[in-house]
Amino acid sequence: MGRNRFVKPDMVRLYLADVHRRHLEDLLDPLKQQALEPEKRATPSDLDTARAAIADAEADGAWIDVKRELNAGETRHVFAQLVKDMRAGEKIALDPEKVGITKVLEYLLGWSFTDDKGQSVAVSQGAIEALDQETYTEITQAIEAHEARMEADRTERKKKTTGIVTSEAISTSVA
Amino acid sequence: MALAITGVNGLIKWSYYTAARAEGYAVYRDKDGHWTMTATLVLSDAFKMRQRPLIFVAPYVRETCASCLKAMQVCSCREPQRVSAPGEWRWPIESLEMGPVTGQTKMQAVLGEQLP
């Protein structure tokens, strides 16, 4: 039996504190820092700020629920929403207002965010657009990192598969 | 068989996807505690309806008084403070039958225990 080619609709919970942890890891990564211009490299003050952001995010405990993987239709939908104009032989014109949010809308299923009365708020385009800029950035970064991780997993899986499956001759030719 | 819940719009969900919208649904509970439901299906996705597990979702709005915390129907405050909170009842669909009846797709299902 061949592999199941249909995306199973699984949900993954991402903690927003992990966005800040990854940012601190980048600041502490000597290779990434060396690649930057000297004035853009992390200072001790940047590290303190990043550590404080992690502590804040951990105390808040905010999370988002996202789709583990987008299926073909959802991926095409992200692209279609993003494109403003597409003509043969010309560069694709993107809609700047849709960049980022189309992917967030397709991935995001739920979150821990509440209103002033402590009541949970349903995910919707209106609610996403009403978020503060910092939270929106945390969400986009969390989804980007999740997507990169899934892509790396898929690549790893393909490598393993191609390592196992061999295509050998079923019978030798008489000629 | 006692009639438990009726509603205008319900959903058949496969994980986070909507497999179909269930209009004019009625959910029954018999004396042994077994749940069944009937509905008219609209906008159903044949592929998603074939997947398992499917969940029947009946949304509701609970209206309570913020002063006495009782349901609005039984609140006796002089100045009730109405608070609306959306929620949903959910049941797993254990088996279902679908078929055309006078041009509409009718559905009958056996439901499992109500989900928390």
Side-chain angles (χ1 to χ4, degrees):
Chain A
M1 194 172 71
R3 70 179 177 88
N4 181 3
R5 291 171 183 271
F6 298 96
V7 172
K8 216 173 127 196
D10 285 333
M11 197 163 68
V12 180
R13 180 158 294 180
L14 307 175
Y15 287 89
L16 298 184
D18 289 340
V19 172
H20 299 284
R21 286 197 193 97
R22 275 190 295 273
H23 178 58
L24 180 63
E25 281 169 18
D26 286 348
L27 295 180
L28 293 170
D29 187 334
L31 289 175
K32 284 183 181 167
Q33 289 301 308
Q34 277 172 8
L36 296 172
E37 291 167 22
E39 64 271 18
K40 288 185 179 170
R41 288 177 192 161
T43 63
S45 160
D46 292 336
L47 296 177
D48 288 345
T49 308
R51 287 190 182 105
I54 293 173
D56 279 352
E58 282 175 346
D60 184 56
W63 49 261
I64 56 172
D65 284 336
V66 298
K67 293 173 186 172
R68 180 181 293 279
E69 192 178 349
L70 298 186
N71 62 29
E74 289 161 342
T75 308
R76 279 190 301 119
H77 190 241
V78 169
F79 180 71
Q81 293 290 306
L82 198 61
V83 174
K84 201 176 184 182
D85 193 26
M86 191 164 73
R87 289 165 203 266
E90 289 181 25
K91 266 190 175 180
I92 295 170
L94 302 181
D95 185 344
E97 207 180 335
K98 301 277 179 66
V99 173
I101 194 152
T102 53
K103 196 180 279 183
V104 171
L105 277 168
E106 206 60 63
Y107 265 104
L108 196 57
L109 295 168
W111 54 28
S112 61
F113 309 157
T114 55
D115 61 15
D116 286 344
K117 292 172 187 166
Q119 289 193 334
S120 57
V121 176
V123 170
S124 65
Q125 184 164 357
I128 292 168
E129 284 172 356
L131 291 169
D132 59 51
Q133 188 56 46
E134 188 189 342
T135 307
Y136 178 74
T137 307
E138 286 175 334
I139 291 173
T140 52
Q141 287 178 353
I143 289 173
E144 291 291 340
H146 166 71
E147 202 175 42
R149 202 165 45 245
M150 289 296 110
E151 185 56 44
D153 283 356
R154 267 195 299 276
T155 310
E156 194 59 32
R157 228 174 21 236
K158 273 182 195 168
K159 273 185 198 166
K160 279 182 187 166
T161 311
T162 45
I164 294 164
V165 176
T166 54
S167 184
E168 290 168 9
I170 297 166
S171 61
T172 49
S173 171
V174 181
Chain B
M1 186 177 280
L3 187 62
I5 302 164
T6 59
V8 179
N9 290 309
L11 297 171
I12 312 289
K13 303 280 279 188
W14 170 50
S15 186
Y16 45 74
Y17 292 118
T18 298
R21 296 191 181 277
E23 278 188 355
Y25 67 83
V27 179
Y28 305 90
R29 189 171 190 234
D30 69 15
K31 59 182 185 332
D32 297 324
H34 298 126
W35 296 90
T36 52
M37 66 89 74
T38 59
T40 302
L41 291 186
V42 289
L43 301 171
S44 74
D45 180 316
F47 173 78
K48 289 178 183 127
M49 284 298 284
R50 276 200 300 272
Q51 307 307 309
R52 297 292 181 271
L54 293 175
I55 307 284
F56 174 62
V57 179
Y60 63 81
V61 176
R62 179 170 286 157
E63 293 197 313
T64 52
C65 169
S67 301
C68 66
L69 304 177
K70 289 179 182 170
M72 283 308 295
Q73 291 89 332
V74 294
C75 163
S76 54
C77 295
R78 283 193 172 191
E79 290 178 7
Q81 292 181 12
R82 188 184 294 262
V83 178
S84 299
E88 56 190 32
W89 291 299
R90 293 148 46 90
W91 293 267
I93 294 176
E94 291 188 342
S95 65
L96 67 91
E97 285 177 31
M98 294 185 295
V101 178
T102 59
Q104 294 180 315
T105 306
K106 297 283 182 185
M107 157 189 184
Q108 283 190 331
V110 175
L111 306 176
E113 276 302 303
Q114 198 176 349
L115 299 170

